[in-house]
Amino acid sequence: MHASRIVAAAVAAAFVPVLLTGCSSNSGGSGGGGGGGSTLTIEDYYAASFNPIYQDCAKQVGAKVKINHVAGAGLIAKVLQQASSRTLPDVLMLDNPDVQQIASSGALSPLGDYGLNADGLVPAVKAANSYKGDLYGLEPVTNSIALYYNKKLLSAAGITPPKTWDELRTDAKKLTKGSTYGFAMSNINTYEGTWQFLPFFWSNGGDEKDIATPQAAQALQFVVDLQNDGSMSKSSITWAQADVDNQFIAGKAAMMINGPWQLPSLNATKGLEFDSVPIPTRTGSAPIAPLGGEAFTVPQTGNKDTMKLAGKFVGCLASAKMQSTIAGVTGNVPTNETVAAQWATSHPQVASFVTTVKTARARTGELGPDWPKAATKIYTAVQLALTGKASPTAALQQAQSQSQ
């Protein structure tokens, strides 16, 4: 949901120390205690603002819920520890790139066991949440990234939103004046930097199996050119997406790449007139951007009755009605294509994201649990090129040859 949370859970592959909380007490609920298994324990890295949604679905399926919010960066290490100690929650939220890793460990149950499927959802949601042919997670809402622009600045410069790389480069140069850069994006040396570069990389034919290709080099050269033109700050190598948002809000960037989770801060800024369009591609075709969002899963707790109830609960969260409710709370996009189309009409600020999600790609779609290795190589190459330590071609070759 929030910028860092989209990619944060994968960071936990470094396995930070596990802090045992009251979560381990859930063995009573999962093991058949607490009213015959009618209490479901839920684990996520959301904030308390999500609790009413859980309470709503709990009421619908006839359950009580015990909610445990944990830090996103420590979630995966915690889940693996819980799996080994058999203290998994009844309902587990995971960042979508982590679903295949946890499913491969045997900690999750197939959602088909509860009559759930991904019919009618955007294709990438099914791909991200499936492992060896079985669906293990459902995302009620999703997100991606788009190009936000300052309407006043573009209008004053006589510019319409760009659709191609050439247009973006020309416009960014024209919009760069005084302390305002024409363009901003996050090129930080984390998965967040990779996430922001992917639309340029993928849309131009880049492939994570081998990042050292001419198509990838062309995409990286484009970003380097924006910096070399003076249209993008050299500080982008240290900016997270929240920092990019702050630059845009302060009027120091006329255009930025960011996600719908920034809408609350943008809308709260007095006098800021903005809109967004899908991220430009070299040819002007539809962008291939990364699919964001979190999935809800049913862990293998050993209690079939509670797992069945958890399946109903996950089904409730993914229902068309709840998708709209959750989208309203989070600012994200419903994953049901029909619901999303209706949402774009009634919520024009997310229309570009609804469009982008249609052609979005799951980060784990090609490499599965090995995706983090490729993500590290990609942001490493971006850093090498933007800091002038290597040409785009050499940076990609150097990063590709690194053993992760």
Side-chain angles (χ1 to χ4, degrees):
M1 182 169 63
H2 289 296
S4 60
R5 287 176 179 166
I6 292 175
V7 288
V11 178
F15 296 160
V16 296
V18 177
L19 297 175
L20 292 177
T21 67
C23 208
S24 59
S25 66
N26 73 5
S27 56
S30 297
S38 61
T39 297
L40 296 174
T41 52
I42 302 171
E43 188 167 284
D44 68 13
Y45 56 65
Y46 284 158
S49 59
F50 215 87
N51 291 6
I53 290 166
Y54 292 147
Q55 297 292 354
D56 191 343
C57 273
K59 189 176 180 181
Q60 290 187 47
V61 303
K64 293 179 180 178
V65 288
K66 180 181 176 184
I67 305 162
N68 186 32
H69 303 297
V70 303
L75 180 63
I76 299 305
K78 187 178 186 68
V79 168
L80 293 173
Q81 185 276 331
Q82 289 171 328
S84 64
S85 61
R86 300 188 178 181
T87 55
L88 284 162
D90 301 309
V91 177
L92 173 65
M93 185 220 76
L94 291 169
D95 195 16
N96 79 67
D98 297 317
V99 171
Q100 293 185 5
Q101 178 194 350
I102 302 304
S104 69
S105 76
L108 305 178
S109 61
L111 295 186
D113 290 355
Y114 317 110
L116 300 175
N117 58 59
D119 295 353
L121 305 188
V122 292
V125 169
K126 183 176 181 179
N129 294 288
S130 296
Y131 178 71
K132 291 189 173 179
D134 284 320
L135 182 71
Y136 285 93
L138 280 176
E139 295 179 50
V141 295
T142 188
N143 56 50
S144 191
I145 39 181
L147 183 76
Y148 282 98
Y149 61 93
N150 184 308
K151 293 170 76 171
K152 288 181 181 177
L153 293 179
L154 266 70
S155 179
I159 292 171
T160 54
K163 294 180 180 178
T164 65
W165 286 2
D166 286 345
E167 290 174 359
L168 176 57
R169 190 176 175 187
T170 301
D171 294 350
K173 197 182 287 189
K174 192 173 181 181
L175 289 163
T176 301
K177 290 181 181 178
S179 62
T180 301
Y181 287 94
F183 176 78
M185 67 181 286
S186 168
N187 290 301
I188 196 169
N189 60 338
T190 68
Y191 296 124
E192 209 162 339
T194 297
W195 158 265
Q196 287 238 320
F197 179 61
L198 282 175
F200 297 108
F201 178 82
W202 275 341
S203 300
N204 203 51
D207 191 320
E208 55 267 41
K209 286 181 180 174
D210 178 7
I211 68 169
T213 64
Q215 293 90 338
Q218 191 174 29
L220 185 50
Q221 184 66 57
F222 174 70
V223 176
V224 170
D225 288 342
L226 285 166
Q227 178 182 276
N228 291 348
D229 286 346
S231 302
M232 181 178 75
S233 172
K234 289 184 177 179
S235 297
S236 77
I237 58 169
T238 64
W239 286 345
Q241 293 176 107
D243 301 316
V244 173
D245 188 51
N246 290 337
Q247 293 292 316
F248 186 78
I249 284 173
K252 293 182 179 178
M255 298 182 287
M256 72 163 176
I257 290 179
N258 233 313
W261 57 84
Q262 306 293 15
L263 285 170
S265 63
L266 295 172
N267 286 321
T269 305
K270 289 183 179 178
L272 178 63
E273 293 181 24
F274 67 92
D275 205 344
S276 65
V277 292
I279 293 171
T281 58
R282 185 172 58 84
T283 62
S285 59
I288 301 172
L291 181 87
E294 291 84 14
F296 288 93
T297 69
V298 178
Q300 293 277 11
T301 60
N303 185 315
K304 296 300 180 186
D305 289 340
T306 310
M307 289 167 67
K308 187 176 179 182
L309 185 62
K312 286 183 179 178
F313 185 85
V314 170
C316 173
L317 289 174
S319 66
K321 181 186 175 186
M322 290 306 294
Q323 284 195 17
S324 295
T325 301
I326 295 171
V329 171
T330 61
N332 289 324
V333 177
T335 55
N336 180 290
E337 292 190 295
T338 303
V339 177
Q342 296 167 345
W343 192 255
T345 302
S346 57
H347 297 75
Q349 286 188 337
V350 299
S352 62
F353 299 99
V354 171
T355 299
T356 297
V357 161
K358 288 179 184 177
T359 53
R361 183 181 293 176
R363 282 161 282 175
T364 51
E366 203 168 71
L367 297 180
D370 285 337
W371 160 250
K373 296 176 184 177
T376 302
K377 291 178 180 180
I378 291 169
Y379 73 64
T380 299
V382 172
Q383 287 268 313
L384 286 169
L386 286 176
T387 53
K389 292 176 181 172
S391 68
T393 297
L396 290 159
Q397 289 172 343
Q398 188 175 325
Q400 176 62 32
S401 65
Q402 287 179 356
S403 58
Q404 302 298 331

